Amino acid sequence: AEMLQGYGQLDIREHQGKTPLLVAATANQPLIVQDLLTLGADPNATDHRGRTILHLAATYGLPGVLTAVFNSGSQVDMETRDFEGLTPLHAAVLSLNEVTQQPACGSRTMTVPARDRLACVQMLLQMGADHTSQEFKSNKTVLHLAVQGANLALVQVLLELPSGDPRAFVNMKAHGNTALHMAAALPPGFPQEPIIRGLLAAGADPALRNLENEQPAHLLSPGPASEALRQLLKRSRPPPLASSS
């Protein structure tokens, strides 16, 4: 790292647009990451896909790299978008969903890769990532992504975050659908029911309609297995959201 600094090449790029900092992050070398940042490497450098060090750590589940960035005191942009329109927090949630959905994760016990990725989500939130940010392609927040991934542990983490208006967050729409719409569309059984109950407890409004004029209850699977949830959604009617004016 000091040699690169001596030659004024701390931010030199290789063939995929990665600086030494991004190469060290991808190789999961937190000590080198911290050295490079201490010597003045650009903490917001991006590769040929627009990914910063935060995106890479989030995508590959590298909490040690995030710790190194945090400990360095570098001024990193938590809301930088890659070329897919994703913030590092979006990338972390998508990566967590991917490993959680693998067949080997059929049990409710969280694997090491899943734990590392959940740790990345929690660290990004601790570092100031905005959980209400919407990705560009479909306007989903991390709550929408977590619900779509049937990721109960992550949904619970997100619903417990401090927020100025938690009901406004839980009722945000992505192309017309709230997180409750997406939960109702999940396969019946575990973890659909606890996700729906958690969303309702956080203030999700089952009366809201999507662009097809459907309420969440309309998206439940037909049959007796969903009847209890259908009745629950019909009974749950939170007071109207406060006006933003």
Side-chain angles (χ1 to χ4, degrees), residues 149-212:
N151 197 324
L152 176 60
L154 181 54
V155 169
Q156 291 171 333
V157 167
L158 296 172
L159 292 180
E160 291 171 0
L161 291 174
S163 176
D165 190 349
R167 288 186 54 221
F169 167 59
V170 81
N171 286 299
M172 288 179 72
K173 290 187 175 183
H175 285 188
N177 288 304
T178 66
L180 191 58
H181 283 94
M182 295 177 179
L186 292 173
F190 186 88
Q192 184 196 43
E193 181 174 348
I195 288 177
I196 287 178
R197 290 185 179 276
L199 291 169
L200 290 172
D205 187 350
L208 294 178
R209 295 179 180 270
N210 62 16
L211 298 179
E212 287 73 39

Side-chain angles (χ1 to χ4, degrees), residues 3 12 14 19 23 25 31 38 46 50 63 65 94 99 101 118 131 134 140 143 146 151 159 164 176 185 210 213 232:
M3 184 179 297
I12 191 173
E14 43 92 276
T19 63
V23 172
L31 294 179
T38 300
T46 59
V65 170
L94 288 171
V99 298
Q101 291 175 337
L118 180 58
H131 61 282
Q134 295 170 282
K140 292 172 188 164
L143 181 59
N151 197 324
L159 292 180
N210 62 16
N213 202 35
L232 175 64

Side-chain angles (χ1 to χ4, degrees), residues 53-115:
I53 187 172
L54 300 182
H55 286 97
L56 294 173
T59 298
Y60 298 120
L62 307 174
V65 170
L66 290 181
T67 299
V69 175
F70 180 77
N71 289 341
S72 74
S74 299
Q75 296 298 309
V76 288
D77 185 348
M78 303 300 301
E79 303 305 314
T80 295
R81 308 274 178 160
D82 65 13
F83 294 161
E84 297 294 319
L86 303 174
T87 67
L89 186 59
H90 293 133
V93 170
L94 288 171
S95 180
L96 174 57
N97 282 348
E98 187 175 318
V99 298
T100 303
Q101 291 175 337
Q102 290 176 356
C105 300
S107 70
R108 301 181 191 180
T109 302
M110 190 170 284
T111 63
V112 171
R115 283 201 301 270

Side-chain angles (χ1 to χ4, degrees), residues 230-242:
R230 190 171 287 106
Q231 294 303 317
L232 175 64
L233 290 171
K234 288 180 179 179
R235 292 195 306 269
S236 302
R237 289 291 184 269
L241 287 170

